[in-house]
């Protein structure tokens, strides 16, 4: 039964068309980051970046190096699109994109994480077996089919993403629309739609529509009678997100995923008219069947388990941020901080106030004012900076944080030397004070 489900061959039109769109979007994301100034603001201008903890060896290239880096990624995107040296191009893009994702957290985005996972996944999918330069150069690799697992790994990954995104919204501040209201206030000056987005009924539509869309879109696309209507709703939903939230390629990538839900013959007739349609339904068991199944199981156990880790960490993730990343908790809260840093010379006991503008970009200042892992990293940075000047210092943080527009509360224990404590990846840091009324 498992062999029939995983290794039955189906028409590969959806995967081929998806590869072309995916490569184009990788190109647009890479060059877009240069021309919109994202690379400059995030990787060139700052004196240093906030890596994912444990990946400090990943540092931006000096000078104009990151512009060339992203330009090269864009070239690999085009090579993926046309299917030239596909495996290598996909591998190179996946490695380069993953490096830039792990290199900085100031512009953290779940969509960047999804692109990292998809890039790694696409390395192993036979997306270059038709309509590619690889086929032109090596006609013997031409195929009209693919194992059925190629379709299901993408669908299952999407189901995980959207389901967790929906469940995460089931908390009071989202359900009473206060989160959406705060988000929409920042859009009040938008041309034509600014005032419309301030309406209370619209906040309810967006709040509950977001829950329902994320929770139901995959099942509705899977179910034939609702597929067409779900796709129409999906177009509206993702174009709305693209215009209002300006989140890069993700809305268009999400629409491209729809290829895997429609009948293969429909995809073939629309996009690949010259291609033969495969309908033999052969079952071809690969030699590496067992390792392949083991990899699937391990990967999806991690994907299912990782977003649940915050349930095993003390206090609420909305407050502590512990377990927030890599968990599909997308656009869930508004958070701001009022934070000051001091260093104390351990010998003279002299205290020095830190002017954050001397060290950090505007976006980085926002992050080190409310995100505890980046507070900890900045404390380590300050300690190293003063050590170079011949001073051994302790670093203290006085911080108050507001979540979803609520009153500011004390966030960090101001008596703890942040430069001397360890960071715990899967455990609670006791220097983050409990969320309670003052």
């Amino acid at each position: 039964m498992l062999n029939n489900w995983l290794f039955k061959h189906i028409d590969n039109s959806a995967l081929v068309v998806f590869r072309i769109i995916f490569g184009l979007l990788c190109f647009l994301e890479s060059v877009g980051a240069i021309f919109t100034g994202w690379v400059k603001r995030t990787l060139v201008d700052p004196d240093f970046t906030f890596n994912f903890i444990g990946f400090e060896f990943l540092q931006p290239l000096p000078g104009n190096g990151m512009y060339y880096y992203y330009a090269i990624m864009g070239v690999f995107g085009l090579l993926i699109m046309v299917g030239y040296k596909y495996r290598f191009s996909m591998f190179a893009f996946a490695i380069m994109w993953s490096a830039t994702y792990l290199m900085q957290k100031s512009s953290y985005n779940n969509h960047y994480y999804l692109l990292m996972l998809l890039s790694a996944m696409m390395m192993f999918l036979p997306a270059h077996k038709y309509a590619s330069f690889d086929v032109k150069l090596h006609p013997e690799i031409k195929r009209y089919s693919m194992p059925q697992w190629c379709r299901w790994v993408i669908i299952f990954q999407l189901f995980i993403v959207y389901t967790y995104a929906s469940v995460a919204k089931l908390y009071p501040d989202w359900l009473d629309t206060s989160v959406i209201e705060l988000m929409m206030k920042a859009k009040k000056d938008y041309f034509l739609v600014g005032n419309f987005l301030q309406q209370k009924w619209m906040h309810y539509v967006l709040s509950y529509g977001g829950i329902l869309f994320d929770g139901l879109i995959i099942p509705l696309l899977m179910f034939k009678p609702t597929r067409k209507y779900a796709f129409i709703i999906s177009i509206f939903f993702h174009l709305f997100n693209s215009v209002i939230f300006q989140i890069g390629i993700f809305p268009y990538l999400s629409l491209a995923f729809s290829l895997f839900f429609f009948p293969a013959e429909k995809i073939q007739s629309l996009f690949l008219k010259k291609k033969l349609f495969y309908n033999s339904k052969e079952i071809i068991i690969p030699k590496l069947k067992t390792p392949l199944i083991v990899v699937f199981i391990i990967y999806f156990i991690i994907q299912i388990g990782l977003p649940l880790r915050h349930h095993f960490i003390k206090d609420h993730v909305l407050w502590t941020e512990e377990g927030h990343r890599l968990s599909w908790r997308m656009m869930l809260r508004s958070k701001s901080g009022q934070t000051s840093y001091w260093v104390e010379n351990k010998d003279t006991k002299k205290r020095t106030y830190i002017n954050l503008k001397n060290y950090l970009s505007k976006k980085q200042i926002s992050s080190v004012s409310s995100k505890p892992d980046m507070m900890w990293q900045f404390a380590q940075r300050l300690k190293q900076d003063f050590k170079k000047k011949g001073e051994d210092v302790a670093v203290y943080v006085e911080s108050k944080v507001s979540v979803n527009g609520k009153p500011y509360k004390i966030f960090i224990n101001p008596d703890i030397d942040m430069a001397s404590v360890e960071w715990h990846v899967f455990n609670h840091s006791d220097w983050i004070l409990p969320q309670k009324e003052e």
Side-chain angles (χ1 to χ4, degrees):
M1 179 65 74
L2 185 62
N3 288 343
N4 292 352
W5 189 63
L6 290 176
F7 304 117
K8 181 177 74 173
H9 272 236
I10 59 175
D11 187 84
N12 64 357
S13 297
L15 182 60
V16 171
V17 177
F18 182 77
R19 183 209 80 223
I20 295 168
I21 297 173
F22 183 77
L24 176 61
L25 291 176
C26 289
F27 166 75
L28 293 174
E29 181 72 20
S30 300
V31 299
I34 297 173
F35 291 110
T36 61
W38 187 93
V39 171
K40 183 178 188 297
R41 293 190 304 271
T42 307
L43 297 170
V44 176
D45 287 347
D47 292 333
F48 64 95
T49 61
F50 289 88
N51 306 81
F52 275 71
I53 295 172
F55 291 88
E56 288 75 18
F57 61 92
L58 293 174
Q59 296 294 325
L61 298 174
N64 293 323
M66 293 311 296
Y67 294 119
Y68 299 121
Y69 186 100
Y70 268 76
I72 292 171
M73 277 205 302
V75 171
F76 282 124
L78 290 178
L79 295 179
I80 293 165
M81 182 180 73
V82 301
Y84 180 72
K85 303 287 185 182
Y86 171 76
R87 299 285 191 193
F88 172 77
S89 299
M90 197 67 257
F91 172 78
F93 181 86
I95 291 296
M96 294 181 75
W97 181 264
S98 299
T100 57
Y101 174 79
L102 297 169
M103 193 182 292
Q104 64 81 31
K105 291 183 292 190
S106 298
S107 293
Y108 173 81
N109 192 316
N110 275 285
H111 309 149
Y112 300 159
Y113 174 46
L114 179 61
L115 186 55
M116 182 176 77
L117 295 179
L118 284 172
S119 298
M121 194 179 292
M122 288 289 286
M123 284 191 295
F124 301 98
L125 300 183
H128 62 309
K129 301 288 186 172
Y130 188 84
S132 69
F133 274 94
D134 285 350
V135 167
K136 285 186 177 296
L137 295 171
H138 305 283
E140 68 277 8
I141 71 168
K142 188 175 187 177
R143 298 289 184 275
Y144 301 107
S145 69
M146 65 181 181
Q148 190 163 238
W149 64 260
C150 297
R151 173 176 179 253
W152 281 107
V153 292
I154 291 178
I155 290 176
F156 195 30
Q157 178 68 72
L158 294 176
F159 180 74
I160 291 171
V161 172
Y162 281 104
T163 300
Y164 276 123
S166 178
V167 172
K169 293 179 175 68
L170 298 175
Y171 80 100
D173 288 354
W174 186 276
L175 296 175
D176 68 11
T177 77
S178 57
V179 176
I180 285 291
E181 185 174 347
L182 284 169
M183 291 181 181
M184 292 305 107
K185 280 183 178 177
K187 319 293 181 185
K188 64 182 179 180
D189 294 327
Y190 274 30
F191 180 66
L192 292 179
V193 298
N195 290 331
F196 181 67
L197 295 174
Q198 310 310 310
Q199 303 299 314
K200 191 64 179 178
W201 67 267
M202 187 61 178
H203 299 159
Y204 276 100
V205 169
L206 295 176
S207 293
Y208 287 86
I211 294 171
L212 292 172
F213 181 88
D214 289 343
L216 297 175
I217 189 61
I218 301 302
L220 291 177
L221 284 170
M222 292 290 297
F223 189 47
K224 183 178 179 180
T226 58
R227 183 176 297 136
K228 180 173 67 174
Y229 305 104
F231 180 59
I232 293 170
I233 293 171
S234 184
I235 292 173
F236 176 80
F237 179 86
H238 289 301
L239 291 182
F240 176 88
N241 283 343
S242 179
V243 172
I244 301 303
F245 295 109
Q246 300 172 14
I247 48 178
I249 66 168
F250 179 71
Y252 308 99
L253 181 60
S254 298
L255 289 174
F257 289 134
S258 301
L259 290 162
F260 295 101
F261 295 93
F262 284 92
E265 56 266 30
K266 187 69 173 177
I267 304 302
Q268 182 264 333
S269 65
L270 283 175
F271 299 103
L272 300 170
K273 297 183 187 301
K274 296 181 180 180
K275 177 182 175 294
L276 292 177
F277 179 72
Y278 176 88
N279 198 28
S280 298
K281 299 180 181 178
E282 294 178 279
I283 297 173
I284 303 174
I285 310 298
K287 293 180 180 179
L288 299 177
K289 168 193 164 183
T290 301
L292 184 65
I293 293 175
V294 170
V295 168
F296 285 158
I297 292 172
I298 293 173
Y299 174 80
F300 283 112
I301 285 175
I302 293 172
Q303 283 299 302
I304 292 169
L306 203 59
L308 297 174
R309 70 192 187 280
H310 68 87
H311 292 293
F312 302 94
I313 301 176
K314 184 179 177 181
D315 215 332
H316 200 288
V317 61
L318 286 172
W319 174 252
T320 67
E321 299 274 332
E322 295 169 316
H324 173 79
R325 294 190 179 91
L326 316 183
S327 298
W328 313 118
R329 303 179 59 80
M330 297 183 273
M331 293 191 291
L332 277 178
R333 81 287 189 250
S334 173
K335 197 170 187 182
S336 59
Q338 298 173 348
T339 302
S340 300
Y341 288 76
W342 303 81
V343 298
E344 182 180 278
N345 187 299
K346 291 183 178 180
D347 297 322
T348 65
K349 303 303 179 184
K350 177 185 176 182
R351 276 197 163 195
T352 304
Y353 167 74
I354 299 299
N355 186 345
L356 297 181
K357 293 180 180 178
N358 293 338
Y359 290 86
L360 306 170
S361 69
K362 185 177 180 180
K363 195 157 191 175
Q364 288 177 326
I365 290 174
S366 176
S367 296
V368 301
S369 297
S370 61
K371 293 179 171 56
D373 59 330
M374 296 175 75
M375 291 177 169
W376 179 85
Q377 286 177 286
F378 185 52
Q380 311 308 308
R381 181 80 183 193
L382 288 173
K383 185 178 180 68
Q384 294 171 10
D385 187 60
F386 276 82
K387 187 176 182 179
K388 291 176 182 176
K389 302 174 186 177
E391 293 188 61
D392 185 17
V393 299
V395 181
Y396 297 96
V397 179
E398 295 180 358
S399 177
K400 288 187 176 183
V401 164
S402 168
V403 179
N404 295 336
K406 290 182 171 60
Y408 282 87
K409 301 176 187 178
I410 297 177
F411 187 47
I412 300 297
N413 186 338
D415 300 320
I416 295 293
D417 173 12
M418 291 280 284
S420 65
V421 294
E422 294 183 359
W423 177 256
H424 304 291
V425 177
F426 293 105
N427 295 316
H428 175 64
S429 297
D430 290 333
W431 42 266
I432 303 175
L433 297 177
Q435 184 183 22
K436 59 184 180 181
E437 297 296 332
E438 293 179 284

